[in-house]
Amino acid sequence: MDTRARREPGARSRGVSTWVGLLACALGAGPLAGCLQSGATRCGALLCPPGLVCSHSEDRCVFPEQNNACIGLEDGDVCVFGVSDGICDRGTCVDFRCGNGVVDPGEACDDGNGRSGDGCSGDCASDETCGNGIQDGAAGEMCDDGNIIDGDECQSNCARPRCGDGIVDVDEACDDGNFDEGDGCNGRCTSDETCGNGVIDVVAGEACDDGNFVAGDTCGPTCQIEFCGNGLLDPGEVCDDGNNQNGDGCSGACNSTEMCGNGALDPLGAEVCDDGNLRSFDACSSRCKIEFPNWDPAGRNPARRFGEMVYDGNRGALLLVGGERGAGEAAMQSDVRIRGSWARLQRESRETFSVGHVAVFDAARQHVLFVGGRAPSGFDGGMRREGRLRMRTYLLQGATWNESSPLPARAYAAGAYDVANERVVIFGGEDGDLLDETWVHNGSDWSQLTPSTSPSARAHHGMAYDVRRQVVVLYGGEAADGSALRDTWEFDGTAWSQVASDGPSIEGRLVYDIAGERMLLFGGSGRRASDALWSYDVAGWTRIMDEGPEPRLGAAVAYEPEIGGLVVRGGGDRAPGDSFEDTWLYRDGWTEISSRRTPEARRTPAGVYDPRDENIHVFGGEFMGPRRDAWTFTSTGYVPQRRLPFGSLVTDAAYDRARRQIVVVTGDVRADDTLHTWIQDGRRWRELPIVGPPMRTHSALAYDSEREVVLLYGGRNGDENFNDLWAFDGAWRQVMATSPPPATRGPSITYDEARNVLFCIPRASGRLTEIWELRGERWQLSGEPLPQPAALIRYYPQAETTWMISSTPPLSSVWSRNDDGTWTPVRVTTQFRARQGPFAVMNLSERSLVAGLGDPSPETRILQFETLDGVELCTDADADRDGDGVSQCDDPDCAGQICGSAGERCIEGACQCEYATEVSCVDGYDDDCDGQIDCDDSDCTATAHCMSELDCNNGIDDDGDGLVDCADPGCLASATCEAVESRCDDGFDNDGDGRVDCQDPKCFLRPCVSVDES
């Protein structure tokens, strides 16, 4: 019978309540708390009150029936005691029920009630804390995955993941706790609103977002769509100004800044071409105008007027300085007449580009004095507009213009060298008003003289020194009202005296005729043209009625003692008007003299550019045997030089830049086993005592600027051809290059300095069209074959490329090599006849190619680009003559050009000296730009050439430098040797130049006696 069915409900409640209370007392404060009662029972650490007993496990107080209820039952079995149900636990029936206030086994909590949401769930299964694995809805939990980790489908606060909860979930890029845009996290939590995350954030200013920062894939690194006109510099764009207009500094296609030299053609910028640089003379000028290449004939003398011509005794040549070519156009060069030919004087001073100046040779100090003048005049409505006055004084000493103390500015004065007093005398001129002042220059300073009487103020007059009577003679000129003065005056060094009042009615140039011991007056000098020639001596003025040049004004007139005659150059027939370019000589009659002397026809001459004098030198060649003549080629033609000291065939020549010398190899296949090596380190040739490469002819030379050596390639000896390579740096060594070109006769080589490559055509003037290059020490075929068989190949530095000159008759063509190895024709408007064995040399100072001679023509031509822009003047930082916005060494046109008065050059954008020390002590050049030349330079003190001869009058070369007695610079301090010819009537070669007394041009304007040359 089930006794539980008969129990009264109320009895269960009362019994449980009593048990709970007693148990609480037993578990409370103990006997001291007042719970100890009579009949209480101790139970382990507990004290069971009366009515309760200790459980079998002695860890609780129970009713007696609870111990009895589990007899025969196993732990965990259901048991009954009184009105309560329980479970056997260690032999005692225990009441395990949620809500009893005791955390029983299986319960997570028990707060004594059956409510949820108060920290213990109604079923006592959860303490209602997030992360216990039980979802407690009453506690507000939406989920509970047993952890407090965010981002795993149930957050650490047991809420479901969602955008805007401030927690970045697995599928979220960000979560800032709100749904706002533009605050670093968008309202969908899909973007942190940074470019490159693949989400287009319009509020953040993005027009696109392809998930990367790669430029050039239509969406740029700043998340803007790439297109011209967006104001951003996208890949492939040179500029982007936010529009698609041309002519505003950025082209409509965003491919050009619309500046000349950027490589893009900008028609709105008036560009006709743009080759990506600011260099002229390369087919496209520095102002992006087309330059037309022409083969111009050699030997042109630039026409000019109002230049000043004087005999330079130090140079032994006439010197023509300044003047103008036309109205207001300055003559931008000075010329010298050497051995019958006009050549250009290098190293100009900008101040010499003038008119109305004075040039006088100071014989005592062996320099030319240049002073005063005006900038070239202009014309407005046919009336002359005078240029700016100049006051500086320059001395031409050797190859350099050096500034001296200034003279108060003036123009159209006249001057002469006073031999007796060894000083230059200047009188008159104008500075806006006419002047009547007398000034003298002692070689370094000016002094004004105040003679008691003087000629009246004037300009455009003539002055010369009468050597026989030792007086300065002055004639004519213009008065303040423009009328011609006809008086004649003489100055004895102290006082002026008038000797005639009625002379010729011309304003010509006055010179002294040494041979005729008389003054000569020719032509007009101011406003009036004339062809009259007058003489003056103690008997007065006499008209010479010989027919000569056509009437002219402003002609340059001087006496040349080497030919004993009056020389007239240039002038014009009216102002304004064209100028003449002819040259006339008066010597017992008028003769027009040619300015063009040329070598005779020949094959394979050697040509080389010498940067020291900025000229091209041509040696030897063959025509019915070896030629021994040597020539200097300038812009005005050929000037013959002394014959070569060797008679064998010149193989080739090159300029050795590192050692400042011309290198020539020669040899005779019938007599020599090795080549002879000659150098010209100044004005003399000498053979080096070294062993050269095996004997050959028709080899090729080039200078390797990277290794600073002269290279020799190929050649032939009889029937044997060579393809070996040799290097010279003071001695010869063979370069063991692999895979060489085929051995053929007559190769041509050039060194490309822009690419540091040696190019070689194995057989020039043949049928081969191969071109080879040497990189390192290995030969290989280079690029495309030549478009035509070539005669020569040369590096053209102005365009930084290599040119080929073809040998295909009847006309030669020129081709330019591109970086990819292809060839582009240089479209020359005038033609050059094809020939066999010509020379071709780049003239670096003129930016031109000079080619000539060869078989069958002796003709020489200059290939130069004609530019509409001005030619940059590299010696003046303020003279941007070509108008490209840069000047002097900042202008690419000046690279390698002379920029300083001491010979400095533009190197890597700076005006500096190329050499730190005097490289050669015998070449007559200031290598290190310190103002000291050769033996005067301390760098040369210990050299044999500069050591003094033991005896300067014994005819013996004591110091073994090849120079004897007074010809040796070491003897200049000797009493028997002079820097100049100290006397011209003693029959002795005082200055050691091999010429005595009247034979020496330095005796010009000084008494001398003839010497029997027999």
Side-chain angles (χ1 to χ4, degrees):
M1 179 177 130
D2 187 356
T3 59
R4 291 175 293 180
R6 296 193 301 265
R7 295 180 183 137
E8 296 179 9
R12 178 180 180 186
S13 299
R14 290 191 298 270
V16 171
S17 176
T18 303
W19 179 83
V20 170
L22 292 174
L23 181 60
C25 184
L27 296 176
L32 296 179
C35 291
L36 183 60
Q37 299 178 13
S38 176
T41 307
R42 290 191 177 276
C43 184
L46 302 174
L47 183 64
C48 297
L52 296 180
V53 296
C54 187
S55 68
H56 293 301
S57 59
E58 296 185 353
D59 59 354
R60 73 192 80 181
C61 294
V62 299
F63 292 103
E65 58 265 33
Q66 287 181 261
N67 284 336
N68 299 327
C70 287
I71 297 175
L73 298 178
E74 300 290 334
D75 284 345
D77 292 344
V78 177
C79 61
V80 178
F81 68 95
V83 295
S84 299
D85 296 332
I87 297 174
C88 288
D89 179 29
R90 292 172 289 178
T92 301
C93 186
V94 179
D95 183 9
F96 288 152
R97 182 177 66 80
C98 178
N100 64 6
V102 178
V103 180
D104 296 318
E107 292 182 338
C109 60
D110 195 324
D111 57 358
N113 63 61
R115 295 189 301 274
S116 294
D118 58 356
C120 185
S121 62
D123 59 0
C124 294
S126 171
D127 59 3
E128 296 182 318
T129 59
C130 181
N132 61 7
I134 300 173
Q135 182 179 343
D136 299 299
E141 292 184 353
M142 301 173 63
C143 61
D144 196 319
D145 57 359
N147 62 59
I148 53 173
I149 299 174
D150 288 322
D152 59 351
E153 298 184 355
C154 186
Q155 309 288 44
S156 62
N157 60 356
C158 288
R160 289 291 181 185
R162 66 179 178 83
C163 178
D165 61 6
I167 300 172
V168 180
D169 300 318
V170 174
D171 59 347
E172 292 180 339
C174 60
D175 196 321
D176 57 357
N178 61 60
F179 301 102
D180 298 335
E181 303 277 348
D183 59 353
C185 184
N186 66 4
R188 300 177 305 281
C189 296
T190 57
S191 171
D192 59 2
E193 297 181 317
T194 59
C195 179
N197 62 10
V199 180
I200 301 175
D201 298 299
V202 178
V203 175
E206 295 182 355
C208 61
D209 197 320
D210 56 1
N212 62 59
F213 299 101
V214 177
D217 60 354
T218 71
C219 186
T222 59
C223 288
Q224 300 300 313
I225 298 174
E226 295 174 325
F227 66 93
C228 177
N230 64 3
L232 301 174
L233 192 63
D234 298 321
E237 294 181 347
V238 175
C239 60
D240 197 319
D241 57 358
N243 63 60
N244 298 107
Q245 298 175 358
N246 289 314
D248 59 355
C250 183
S251 65
C254 296
N255 62 351
S256 172
T257 56
E258 298 182 311
M259 296 179 62
C260 179
N262 62 9
L265 185 62
D266 302 302
L268 288 183
E271 293 183 359
V272 185
C273 61
D274 196 317
D275 55 1
N277 62 64
L278 290 178
R279 294 190 301 270
S280 296
F281 304 102
D282 60 354
C284 184
S285 76
S286 59
R287 297 180 68 183
C288 288
K289 296 181 176 64
I290 293 291
E291 297 173 316
F292 301 96
N294 292 304
W295 283 111
D296 293 329
R300 297 180 60 183
N301 294 315
R304 73 176 75 192
R305 57 188 172 192
F306 301 118
E308 188 77 5
M309 189 159 61
V310 61
Y311 182 78
D312 182 349
N314 182 50
R315 215 176 239 95
L318 288 177
L319 171 66
L320 175 58
V321 186
E324 61 184 20
R325 299 189 183 206
E329 181 185 2
M332 304 300 288
Q333 70 178 58
S334 298
D335 294 338
V336 292
R337 177 176 161 83
I338 304 174
R339 298 183 179 90
S341 296
W342 286 104
R344 181 173 182 174
L345 177 72
Q346 304 301 324
R347 304 189 184 181
E348 296 285 359
S349 167
R350 187 168 181 265
E351 292 294 319
T352 63
F353 303 154
S354 60
V355 297
H357 48 276
V358 175
V360 179
F361 177 66
D362 186 329
R365 299 161 190 91
Q366 295 288 288
H367 62 229
V368 173
L369 178 145
F370 175 96
V371 64
R374 288 183 178 272
S377 57
F379 287 84
D380 186 6
M383 298 299 292
R384 179 184 293 275
R385 174 173 43 80
E386 297 289 357
R388 177 176 56 86
L389 279 170
R390 290 176 172 165
M391 63 183 295
R392 293 181 179 177
T393 300
Y394 285 87
L395 306 178
L396 179 60
Q397 298 167 312
T400 304
W401 291 98
N402 295 314
E403 191 170 353
S404 182
S405 59
L407 178 71
R410 66 199 57 220
Y412 304 107
Y417 178 66
D418 182 348
V419 176
N421 295 289
E422 294 188 349
R423 60 187 182 182
V424 173
V425 180
I426 299 290
F427 180 82
E430 58 86 13
D431 61 0
D433 297 319
L434 293 185
L435 303 171
D436 61 355
E437 300 169 351
T438 302
W439 290 80
V440 294
H441 190 269
N442 63 5
S444 58
D445 298 304
W446 288 101
S447 300
Q448 184 177 2
L449 303 183
T450 55
S452 57
T453 58
S454 291
S456 60
R458 65 192 66 204
H460 298 286
H461 48 291
M463 279 176 62
Y465 186 77
D466 187 322
V467 177
R468 183 172 63 86
R469 296 189 300 116
Q470 297 189 13
V471 292
V472 173
V473 178
L474 178 151
Y475 176 74
E478 288 185 2
D481 60 1
S483 61
L485 299 171
R486 301 174 64 183
D487 50 347
T488 306
W489 292 75
E490 293 181 353
F491 181 66
D492 61 6
T494 302
W496 287 98
S497 58
Q498 184 174 357
V499 294
S501 59
D502 190 16
S505 57
I506 64 172
E507 306 163 22
R509 300 297 182 93
L510 192 67
V511 299
Y512 182 70
D513 176 1
I514 295 176
E517 294 186 339
R518 58 183 176 175
M519 292 287 171
L520 293 176
L521 178 71
F522 172 77
S525 64
R527 299 182 178 90
R528 304 170 185 84
S530 174
D531 62 352
L533 176 65
W534 291 75
S535 69
Y536 170 79
D537 56 20
V538 291
W541 289 98
T542 303
R543 174 74 182 267
I544 299 175
M545 302 304 295
D546 295 330
E547 184 177 351
E550 59 188 293
R552 61 194 63 202
L553 54 81
V557 182
Y559 185 82
E560 186 173 7
E562 289 191 333
I563 59 177
L566 177 75
V567 176
V568 175
R569 167 84 184 273
D573 58 356
R574 63 189 183 280
D578 296 330
S579 297
F580 300 116
E581 61 175 307
D582 52 357
T583 304
W584 290 78
L585 168 68
Y586 180 79
R587 187 175 55 185
D588 299 327
W590 284 106
T591 304
E592 184 174 7
I593 55 179
S594 173
S595 298
R596 301 180 178 94
R597 296 181 61 186
T598 60
E600 297 176 349
R602 70 205 54 207
R603 276 193 178 207
T604 62
V608 61
Y609 174 79
D610 190 337
R612 295 171 298 182
D613 61 8
E614 298 189 315
N615 287 320
I616 292 172
H617 301 277
V618 181
F619 311 112
E622 54 183 326
F623 182 77
M624 304 295 289
R627 302 300 303 259
R628 292 189 58 189
D629 52 341
W631 300 78
T632 295
F633 180 83
T634 73
S635 59
T636 54
Y638 282 97
V639 178
Q641 303 297 330
R642 295 179 181 178
R643 286 171 61 83
L644 299 173
F646 38 84
S648 52
L649 182 65
V650 175
T651 295
D652 202 356
Y655 182 75
D656 184 350
R657 192 187 307 167
R659 283 154 283 279
R660 295 270 282 178
Q661 59 192 11
I662 295 175
V663 177
V664 171
V665 288
T666 69
D668 186 342
V669 295
R670 298 167 298 179
D672 298 318
D673 295 327
T674 62
L675 289 172
H676 297 273
T677 305
W678 291 78
I679 63 169
Q680 187 188 55
D681 52 8
R683 297 173 179 82
R684 62 171 185 159
W685 288 98
R686 59 189 177 95
E687 183 178 3
L688 298 182
I690 60 175
V691 177
M695 179 59 212
R696 66 196 66 195
T697 61
H698 301 90
S699 57
L701 293 180
Y703 180 71
D704 182 337
S705 59
E706 182 181 28
R707 299 172 183 82
E708 297 187 336
V709 296
V710 173
L711 297 175
L712 180 147
Y713 173 80
R716 66 174 176 139
N717 188 337
D719 295 331
E720 182 181 6
N721 295 320
F722 299 93
N723 61 355
D724 51 350
L725 183 68
W726 294 76
F728 171 81
D729 58 3
W732 289 101
R733 60 178 176 82
Q734 187 172 1
V735 179
M736 305 307 294
T738 59
S739 305
T744 58
R745 59 173 292 184
S748 180
I749 64 174
T750 193
Y751 188 78
D752 189 319
E753 295 187 13
R755 297 159 188 82
N756 290 325
V757 173
L758 179 71
F759 287 114
C760 172
I761 301 173
R763 183 176 182 179
S765 304
R767 295 182 179 179
L768 294 179
T769 58
E770 294 178 347
I771 179 171
W772 293 69
E773 64 179 58
L774 179 67
R775 291 186 178 271
E777 294 186 352
R778 179 179 175 82
W779 287 101
Q780 63 186 36
L781 285 170
S782 177
E784 292 186 357
L786 302 175
Q788 295 176 345
L792 288 165
I793 187 169
R794 292 291 181 264
Y795 175 66
Y796 181 44
Q798 195 65 19
E800 293 186 343
T801 188
T802 292
W803 280 2
M804 182 274 286
I805 305 171
S806 76
S807 59
T808 305
L811 298 174
S812 179
S813 59
V814 180
W815 297 74
S816 174
R817 189 178 189 276
N818 305 313
D819 284 336
D820 60 0
T822 59
W823 295 87
T824 300
V826 179
R827 302 194 180 281
V828 184
T829 55
T830 55
Q831 300 300 319
F832 179 61
R833 292 180 57 191
R835 67 216 42 213
Q836 301 292 315
F839 77 88
V841 179
M842 291 295 176
N843 187 325
L844 302 183
S845 63
E846 299 289 337
R847 293 104 162 176
S848 62
L849 170 68
V850 178
L853 303 180
D855 186 14
S857 175
E859 178 188 34
T860 298
R861 292 287 187 107
I862 304 172
L863 178 59
Q864 188 170 34
F865 291 98
E866 295 184 359
T867 179
L868 299 177
D869 302 329
V871 179
E872 190 65 27
L873 180 64
C874 302
T875 55
D876 191 340
D878 298 324
D880 180 20
R881 297 189 64 244
D882 57 1
D884 59 2
V886 289
S887 60
Q888 207 178 29
C889 293
D890 291 330
D891 194 319
D893 288 335
C894 289
Q897 302 293 324
I898 290 178
C899 54
S901 60
E904 298 90 345
R905 295 181 181 272
C906 289
I907 302 173
E908 297 181 351
C911 189
Q912 56 187 304
C913 199
E914 187 174 1
Y915 304 93
T917 61
E918 199 79 351
V919 178
S920 173
C921 297
V922 296
D923 62 358
Y925 295 99
D926 181 13
D927 303 328
D928 53 7
C929 313
D930 63 355
Q932 303 299 319
I933 298 174
D934 294 347
C935 293
D936 291 333
D937 195 308
S938 59
D939 296 334
C940 295
T941 303
T943 62
H945 174 74
C946 297
M947 295 174 64
S948 300
E949 291 277 87
L950 298 177
D951 188 335
C952 294
N953 199 29
N954 62 359
I956 300 174
D957 179 16
D958 302 304
D959 56 7
D961 62 357
L963 301 174
V964 178
D965 294 346
C966 291
D968 192 315
C971 283
L972 293 181
S974 171
T976 59
C977 300
E978 308 290 341
V980 297
E981 198 81 350
S982 59
R983 294 189 60 183
C984 297
D985 57 358
D986 60 358
F988 186 71
D989 180 16
N990 306 111
D991 57 2
D993 64 356
R995 294 178 287 186
V996 178
D997 294 345
C998 286
Q999 293 178 347
D1000 195 326
K1002 295 173 185 176
C1003 286
F1004 174 56
L1005 296 181
R1006 298 165 64 190
C1008 62
V1009 296
S1010 298
V1011 177
D1012 186 0
E1013 298 183 358
S1014 61

